[in-house]
Amino acid sequence: MRKKRTSRSKYAILGFLASKPRSGYDIKKAIEKSISFFWNESYGQIYPILKALVSEGLAEKLVEDEKSARGKQKYAITELGQEHLQNWIKQAADYGGFRNEVLLKLYFGDHSDVASSINHLNNFIDHHKMLHETFLGFKSTLPSIEGKPVGPLTYMLATLQYGILATKFNVDWAKDTIRLLEGKKTRMLK
Amino acid sequence: MRKKRTSRSKYAILGFLASKPRSGYDIKKAIEKSISFFWNESYGQIYPILKALVSEGLAEKLVEDEKSARGKQKYAITELGQEHLQNWIKQAADYGGFRNEVLLKLYFGDHSDVASSINHLNNFIDHHKMLHETFLGFKSTLPSIEGKPVGPLTYMLATLQYGILATKFNVDWAKDTIRLLEGKKTRMLK
DNA sequence: AGCACCATGTAAGTGGTTACATGATTCC
DNA sequence: GGAATCATGTAACCACTTACATGGTGCT
């Protein structure tokens, strides 16, 4: 029997409907603003999945007041949808399927020239420095949750913190790797 | 015109042929042993791609001595293949398409219960601790490259070091996040 | 004989992106 | 009027995994 690998996109979308009713467009924008560092969805996934969610009874199309919004078609999660989402969240996560193209190109570095590898690393540094700054800026706009009970903001902070630290880690490692390739002293040589 | 998204698997395979002739089976094992932390390939990709590489003139099938190896069919990279590989390595890397299911489930944590999130984090910690130890063990078997010119070992060390530090970072972040969810003091609360 | 592993391959299906098509709304 | 962006959707295609099929080799 084939293993049913129910799409994670389905639950990503359901998760965003769980906090409030949204349109496909809203979902895309919300994902981009909040979790695009570790998750993305394309319209080509979102719109068909929204329809599928309705036909499975996990979401329902809201009837908008005539003049309310532009062509927007908002969807809300149903009770059943919430159950499905909760159930999925509790299942063990899949750690596999990771792919990092920069590391792959670096690993093959000897089949190119050192300058090319260093160039990749410098681009990598720029990219992650930028992200790092963006995340820090975003964090500074969040209200303090100190002493407050665990809530949505707590989870947002946890993943945001991952982004802040991961980008810093990436930059540090890349800098050190450049030093290694330039034949300078580095912590890497134990 | 549609964007030709040439498969990265093709170059991953070519890269492994570049160091020495290998069979499909060899390639799979080599990938598992060396770069599975950030790259994986399945047989369903490897065998068809090997054939495609031959038909494109990027690799050639070696004629084995009769009694040499079991059914093994080794392939070697051609000059043209090396050119293509070098060219690909120099192209800008793609940073997108990242997906981290653990972070997604954590982000949705408020739609489940705190215990479930902590459970995910503990599994995450175990997983990365194990990887970390494996990488450290592997590093200790590598010959020293101190003072030597940049070569394949240098690049292997660089990516291995990424694995060693990334797994440690993951463990640290997850521990801190558990503290956050338990309402204890943590560095996260700036 | 039986098991574990070596070794190659394919068919079917899923998951996902990209490019295109279409039109409304807002702002200058 | 024109540009930007809001908004929904689909067709085509690609990348990749999974499960299955098949047989050889080495060991006990």
Side-chain angles (χ1 to χ4, degrees):
Chain A
M1 208 208 300
R2 265 158 214 287
K3 193 168 161 194
K4 195 98 165 261
R5 263 203 320 173
T6 37
S7 163
R8 291 112 92 227
S9 295
K10 174 175 159 181
Y11 295 102
I13 290 166
L14 213 45
F16 274 85
L17 290 185
S19 46
K20 67 175 180 189
R22 304 179 198 251
S23 67
Y25 192 83
D26 290 344
I27 292 170
K28 180 76 157 64
K29 294 300 150 197
I31 288 178
E32 274 167 14
K33 264 202 326 201
S34 56
I35 61 169
S36 60
F37 178 58
F38 61 85
W39 207 268
N40 289 280
E41 296 295 345
S42 63
Y43 289 124
Q45 288 274 92
I46 293 171
Y47 287 112
I49 286 178
L50 281 173
K51 288 197 170 176
L53 289 175
V54 171
S55 79
E56 289 173 63
L58 307 184
E60 52 190 6
K61 206 170 189 167
L62 292 188
V63 187
E64 291 282 323
D65 298 335
E66 295 311 312
K67 62 181 172 204
S68 76
R70 315 144 159 251
K72 247 181 202 175
Q73 307 195 37
K74 288 198 176 182
Y75 295 82
I77 194 168
T78 61
E79 290 262 324
L80 186 61
Q82 283 180 46
E83 276 173 39
H84 277 233
L85 176 62
Q86 279 167 41
N87 188 54
W88 175 78
I89 291 174
K90 292 194 184 183
Q91 307 297 314
D94 180 17
Y95 299 150
F98 244 23
R99 281 188 154 194
N100 186 323
E101 201 175 307
V102 174
L103 288 181
L104 185 64
K105 292 197 180 206
L106 182 66
Y107 185 79
F108 292 147
D110 199 51
H111 302 300
S112 180
D113 49 275
V114 177
S116 161
S117 294
I118 291 177
N119 185 46
H120 278 307
L121 288 165
N122 275 321
N123 290 339
F124 186 77
I125 289 170
D126 290 346
H127 179 74
H128 283 96
K129 263 189 180 162
M130 230 172 56
L131 278 177
H132 184 73
E133 292 307 318
T134 307
F135 295 155
L136 280 183
F138 188 54
K139 183 177 180 182
S140 72
T141 69
L142 291 181
S144 169
I145 59 166
E146 194 145 19
K148 292 186 186 155
V150 169
L153 265 176
T154 317
Y155 295 102
M156 178 183 274
L157 179 64
T159 51
L160 181 57
Q161 187 72 4
Y162 187 93
I164 290 170
L165 297 178
T167 45
K168 182 179 184 325
F169 155 71
N170 280 325
V171 169
D172 290 346
W173 165 82
K175 281 183 178 170
D176 222 40
T177 301
I178 290 176
R179 293 183 62 80
L180 177 73
L181 294 181
E182 287 174 340
K184 292 179 188 156
K185 272 209 164 70
T186 149
R187 287 175 270 128
M188 267 185 223
L189 305 162
K190 50 142 191 308
Chain B
M1 206 209 300
R2 266 160 210 288
K3 192 169 160 194
K4 195 95 167 267
R5 263 199 319 172
T6 37
S7 162
R8 292 111 93 224
S9 296
K10 174 174 159 182
Y11 297 101
I13 290 166
L14 214 45
F16 274 85
L17 290 184
S19 45
K20 65 175 179 188
R22 304 180 199 250
S23 67
Y25 192 83
D26 291 343
I27 291 170
K28 181 77 158 65
K29 294 301 150 197
I31 289 178
E32 275 167 13
K33 266 204 325 206
S34 56
I35 61 169
S36 60
F37 178 58
F38 61 86
W39 205 268
N40 288 281
E41 295 295 344
S42 64
Y43 288 125
Q45 287 274 91
I46 294 172
Y47 288 113
I49 285 178
L50 280 173
K51 287 198 170 176
L53 289 176
V54 170
S55 80
E56 288 174 62
L58 308 183
E60 52 190 6
K61 205 170 187 167
L62 291 187
V63 186
E64 290 283 321
D65 298 335
E66 295 311 315
K67 63 184 170 202
S68 76
R70 311 143 163 254
K72 247 178 205 179
Q73 307 196 38
K74 288 198 175 182
Y75 295 81
I77 195 169
T78 61
E79 290 262 324
L80 186 62
Q82 284 180 46
E83 276 172 40
H84 278 232
L85 176 62
Q86 278 167 42
N87 187 54
W88 175 78
I89 291 174
K90 292 194 184 183
Q91 307 297 315
D94 180 18
Y95 299 149
F98 244 24
R99 281 188 155 195
N100 186 323
E101 200 175 307
V102 174
L103 288 181
L104 185 65
K105 293 198 179 206
L106 183 66
Y107 185 79
F108 291 148
D110 199 50
H111 302 301
S112 180
D113 49 274
V114 177
S116 161
S117 294
I118 290 178
N119 185 45
H120 278 307
L121 289 165
N122 276 321
N123 291 339
F124 187 78
I125 289 170
D126 291 345
H127 179 74
H128 283 97
K129 265 190 178 161
M130 228 172 57
L131 279 177
H132 184 73
E133 292 307 318
T134 306
F135 294 154
L136 281 182
F138 187 55
K139 184 176 178 181
S140 71
T141 69
L142 292 182
S144 169
I145 60 166
E146 193 144 20
K148 291 186 185 155
V150 168
L153 266 175
T154 316
Y155 295 101
M156 177 184 276
L157 180 64
T159 52
L160 181 58
Q161 187 72 5
Y162 186 93
I164 290 170
L165 298 177
T167 46
K168 181 179 186 323
F169 155 71
N170 280 325
V171 169
D172 290 346
W173 165 82
K175 282 183 178 171
D176 222 40
T177 302
I178 289 177
R179 293 181 62 80
L180 177 72
L181 293 181
E182 287 174 341
K184 294 179 188 156
K185 272 209 165 69
T186 148
R187 286 175 269 129
M188 267 184 224
L189 306 162
K190 49 144 193 305

